[in-house]
Amino acid sequence: MSTVVEKRISAVSQFKFRKNDIIGSADAADDAAFLSTCFVDSGDLEILRDTNDKRRIVVGRTGVGKTALLQRLIAVEPRTIELPPENLAFEYLSNSTILPWLIQQGVDLDLFFKLLWRHVLAIELLRARFGTPNEHRTGYSLSVGERIKELVTGNKKLSGALDYLRKWAGESFWQETDHRIREVTSVFEQSIKSDSALAAALAAPGVRVTAKVGGAATSLQRSEEKTDVAHRAQSIVNSIQMRELTNVLELVNAVLDDPQKKYFVVIDRLDERWVADDLKNLLLRALIETAKDFRKVQNAKIVIALRRDLFERVVHETRDSGFQAEKYRDQFLEVRWLDSQLRELVDRRVSQLVASRYTSRPVGLADLLPARIHGRGKDRDGVDYFVSRAMHRPRNAIMFFNECITKAAGEPQISKQVLLKAEADYSKSRLDALYDEWFAQFPNLVLAVELLRRRRHKLRLVDLCDQQAAEAFLDCCTRAAVEDRLSEIARDVCEQPSRMQDAARRVTAVLFLVGIVGLKPQRAESTRWSDSDMWTDQEPLVDDDTGITVHPAYRRALEVDDSDGR
């Protein structure tokens, strides 16, 4: 036995897990103790720091490390502005009496929402450039507008941008962002009210001006009146001076002229509730488009984190408005992890946990997990077994190991029995998390997944056309509280049992999309998982020859037979 191995075993033998030990938190915002010292860069950080790189929208499944990546960017870049969406007063838009009414009349507000984002982001960058106001500091005797004017003197093209700043960012320049959103929205609403025909329509009998977004749609008494109202309102929206804002972007670019001083605006947690759902998709589409527009500012970058299912929902819900995902493909940075990178991340965290009490020598997964997992079928390496259940997501790896620690309290290592016991609880928690992640799009996923329970982990389409499948479809059809794609599939097969194979195919496509199963189109090919490429088809071809594999992370929760392989 080598000296290095002997020393590691000696270090581990002095160590015993405590029940409250952890190697990190599920939420990166609460993970500062480990994130700062155990961050593993797979190359994504340098891409975000490069303002010339088009990729600025960080996308991935929940738990893949989007927030951790943005937190690291904030830590290493001194001129970073963090904009929490819940602090941007978008609820003010939800509570508006006019915006919902315009949407109900069929008015396209995309231009207005882009105006909001452009205005907010441009002013935030200018505020960062000119610092925080302090009447006791020298240099603030001149207004911001005058100081900007000094920097761009002689550029006639930017005079309109200066006029825009005087109009919209005069006294409110140093106000918080939510104040400016209220201000711009209020002015826009006033312009709608100032149109006599629109004002009359708003005051017409039967028009509920107090309705919020998502409320019952209102209609005018005659279709020709509604058409005229929509046309007049759309004209006001279209009259918004985007040219002025385009010049503002050029002004920001001219002011941020030092390539050694790069500015970043970071927007995260867009999956949380910061605005009514009916408005969220429209605002997110406008934000994605606006972030692309800000490429004109060379020494600044707008960085956005989007959960993959949220992006797909935005595409689906705004498709009729002309939003095409492919046009923005080069803007996206998809966060992916190799098994080796995930192992390195856990190794660093494990080593920090052990070193904090016992030794400075590196201790990793291989020192604490069983060398082999013996079971029905072939032997599996302990570390490979652990990593295969993490789904290439740091959060999952951290939570799995934390569960192992809980079960191994008082022991220096994690035995096979402890690992399998921890896996059972971990698998159930991951399945519950998956239901939560996809609930907005597939609220009946919890019912459809029963199609897989207590089966083998490798299947064919014919296996999902039996009596168990029929009972699962019937249960989904009768117990569905709300309608979604899965309940529609279940109803089809309940009404026409002859469509069982087609129903199984369509459900398998959904299970592939959410990540529960992988597909192997041809025997010679490897199993394909949806999280390996966000640009895969949402409706993959599933036929009689397609191999279907239940993901290892969910097998214990679904009581799936894991006997002959990983």
Side-chain angles (χ1 to χ4, degrees):
M1 184 180 297
S2 71
T3 303
V4 173
V5 173
E6 288 175 347
K7 287 181 178 180
R8 285 197 175 187
I9 292 177
S10 175
V12 173
S13 66
Q14 301 174 40
F15 173 81
K16 289 186 178 180
F17 289 111
R18 298 173 182 172
K19 65 178 182 179
N20 294 322
D21 281 342
I22 59 173
I23 62 165
S25 300
D27 190 340
D30 300 324
D31 195 36
F34 286 90
L35 186 58
S36 60
T37 56
C38 303
F39 181 79
V40 174
D41 183 15
S42 59
D44 294 335
L45 181 61
E46 290 307 309
I47 290 174
L48 291 184
R49 296 181 71 181
D50 184 357
T51 56
N52 293 318
D53 195 299
K54 295 180 181 179
R55 290 167 287 184
R56 60 196 65 229
I57 302 175
V58 181
V59 67
R61 292 283 177 84
T62 179
V64 81
K66 301 182 297 297
T67 295
L69 180 59
L70 266 59
Q71 289 296 318
R72 189 62 176 174
L73 176 66
I74 293 170
V76 299
E77 289 292 348
R79 286 168 290 277
T80 301
I81 307 154
E82 194 172 5
L83 285 184
E86 66 273 15
N87 295 345
L88 298 184
F90 282 119
E91 278 299 329
Y92 178 80
L93 275 65
S94 301
N95 295 326
S96 167
T97 60
I98 293 180
L99 295 183
W101 180 76
L102 291 174
I103 293 173
Q104 289 163 3
Q105 305 310 311
V107 178
D108 183 359
L109 293 179
D110 185 53
L111 196 60
F112 171 68
F113 291 142
K114 285 195 288 187
L115 165 73
L116 273 183
W117 282 118
R118 279 197 186 187
H119 180 85
V120 166
L121 296 173
I123 300 302
E124 285 297 325
L125 286 170
L126 290 174
R127 288 179 77 210
R129 165 65 177 82
F130 292 104
T132 304
N134 186 330
E135 61 183 4
H136 299 297
R137 286 176 56 184
T138 60
Y140 282 91
S141 57
L142 293 175
S143 70
V144 171
E146 291 172 323
R147 296 168 67 197
I148 294 176
K149 187 175 181 180
E150 288 183 346
L151 294 173
V152 296
T153 298
N155 192 331
K156 295 181 179 179
K157 188 176 181 181
L158 299 182
S159 60
L162 287 170
D163 291 340
Y164 180 91
L165 289 179
R166 293 189 186 99
K167 175 181 177 181
W168 290 103
E171 296 180 359
S172 67
F173 186 85
W174 297 113
Q175 297 285 342
E176 294 300 322
T177 309
D178 60 340
H179 173 84
R180 290 194 293 278
I181 288 178
R182 290 188 180 95
E183 182 182 40
V184 174
T185 303
S186 178
V187 170
F188 172 69
E189 289 180 326
Q190 190 58 48
S191 65
I192 294 292
K193 293 178 182 178
S194 298
D195 184 288
S196 58
L198 294 179
L202 278 166
V207 176
R208 297 175 56 195
V209 296
T210 57
K212 296 181 181 180
V213 172
T218 62
S219 61
L220 300 179
Q221 293 180 350
R222 297 198 305 269
S223 60
E224 59 267 25
E225 290 181 352
K226 182 173 181 178
T227 301
D228 180 63
V229 164
H231 177 74
R232 295 178 72 93
Q234 192 68 61
S235 296
I236 293 176
V237 174
N238 295 344
S239 69
I240 293 173
Q241 294 299 311
M242 293 299 286
R243 179 179 298 180
E244 288 184 349
L245 268 175
T246 299
N247 291 341
V248 167
L249 293 188
E250 295 184 8
L251 184 147
V252 173
N253 183 50
V255 169
L256 305 183
D257 59 349
D258 187 349
Q260 301 303 314
K261 294 180 179 179
K262 298 179 180 180
Y263 292 79
F264 299 84
V265 180
V266 171
I267 306 176
D268 193 8
R269 301 188 179 279
L270 290 165
D271 57 316
E272 298 178 0
R273 183 168 180 80
W274 49 278
V275 71
D277 288 340
D278 289 14
L279 275 179
K280 178 185 285 188
N281 293 330
L282 297 174
L283 285 166
L284 286 178
R285 186 191 67 189
L287 175 58
I288 291 170
E289 294 173 338
T290 304
K292 182 178 181 180
D293 294 338
F294 267 80
R295 288 187 302 176
K296 298 173 183 176
V297 183
Q298 295 181 352
N299 296 319
K301 196 170 191 177
I302 312 300
V303 179
I304 306 165
L306 273 182
R307 213 168 67 184
R308 178 177 168 181
D309 62 298
L310 180 57
F311 169 71
E312 291 171 343
R313 195 155 66 246
V314 170
V315 172
H316 176 74
E317 296 294 335
T318 64
R319 194 184 308 274
D320 292 340
S321 301
F323 181 76
Q324 298 176 3
E326 285 291 335
K327 288 169 35 179
Y328 302 90
R329 182 168 186 166
D330 62 350
Q331 307 291 306
F332 283 79
L333 174 62
E334 188 173 9
V335 181
R336 301 180 188 174
W337 289 79
L338 301 174
D339 286 348
S340 58
Q341 294 169 339
L342 206 58
R343 175 172 177 170
E344 179 186 356
L345 180 143
V346 179
D347 279 346
R348 289 189 183 187
R349 289 168 176 261
V350 167
S351 187
Q352 178 167 314
L353 173 66
V354 177
S356 65
R357 294 202 302 267
Y358 293 97
T359 178
S360 60
R361 297 185 182 280
V363 176
L365 280 173
D367 301 302
L368 300 177
L369 291 177
R372 310 291 299 176
I373 298 293
H374 305 285
R376 293 174 299 171
K378 62 182 179 182
D379 269 0
R380 283 159 283 186
D381 176 84
V383 174
D384 287 347
Y385 184 93
F386 175 90
V387 172
S388 71
R389 270 109 183 112
M391 304 172 65
H392 298 105
R393 306 185 196 183
R395 179 185 298 173
N396 288 358
I398 292 169
M399 294 184 70
F400 191 5
F401 199 85
N402 284 347
E403 194 65 53
C404 291
I405 291 174
T406 300
K407 300 293 189 294
E411 299 295 329
Q413 289 180 301
I414 297 167
S415 65
K416 171 195 168 185
Q417 291 74 22
V418 165
L419 179 63
L420 296 179
K421 187 177 180 181
E423 182 190 356
D425 289 343
Y426 162 78
S427 181
K428 184 179 184 305
S429 72
R430 291 304 85 208
L431 192 58
D432 289 341
L434 189 77
Y435 296 148
D436 291 339
E437 178 183 355
W438 289 93
F439 182 80
Q441 192 166 344
F442 302 114
N444 295 305
L445 183 61
V446 64
L447 299 174
V449 165
E450 292 303 306
L451 193 72
L452 301 174
R453 189 170 294 279
R454 298 190 184 92
R455 295 188 184 273
R456 303 187 313 275
H457 74 280
K458 291 185 179 294
L459 305 162
R460 296 283 175 184
L461 192 62
V462 65
D463 298 321
L464 303 179
C465 299
D466 58 7
Q467 184 59 34
Q468 177 181 336
E471 293 174 358
F473 283 126
L474 178 61
D475 198 40
C476 184
C477 182
T478 57
R479 290 179 57 196
V482 294
E483 291 295 315
D484 68 356
R485 193 192 315 178
L486 293 168
S487 63
E488 291 174 0
I489 295 171
R491 183 178 298 104
D492 286 348
V493 74
C494 288
E495 293 174 352
Q496 301 182 55
S498 61
R499 301 189 63 181
M500 174 70 75
Q501 185 170 352
D502 179 64
R505 177 190 62 76
R506 293 164 65 193
V507 169
T508 300
V510 172
L511 297 179
F512 169 77
L513 172 64
V514 302
I516 292 182
V517 302
L519 300 178
K520 187 176 182 179
Q522 303 293 332
R523 293 183 184 276
E525 298 180 17
S526 59
T527 299
R528 170 185 165 208
W529 302 93
S530 63
D531 60 1
S532 64
D533 184 0
M534 71 172 289
W535 302 98
T536 55
D537 295 332
Q538 294 192 21
E539 289 287 351
L541 177 64
V542 182
D543 56 29
D544 292 343
D545 295 326
T546 303
I548 304 169
T549 302
V550 180
H551 196 287
Y554 305 116
R555 292 175 190 171
R556 295 294 297 277
L558 293 173
E559 303 172 85
V560 166
D561 183 359
D562 191 32
S563 62
D564 62 3
R566 292 175 56 176

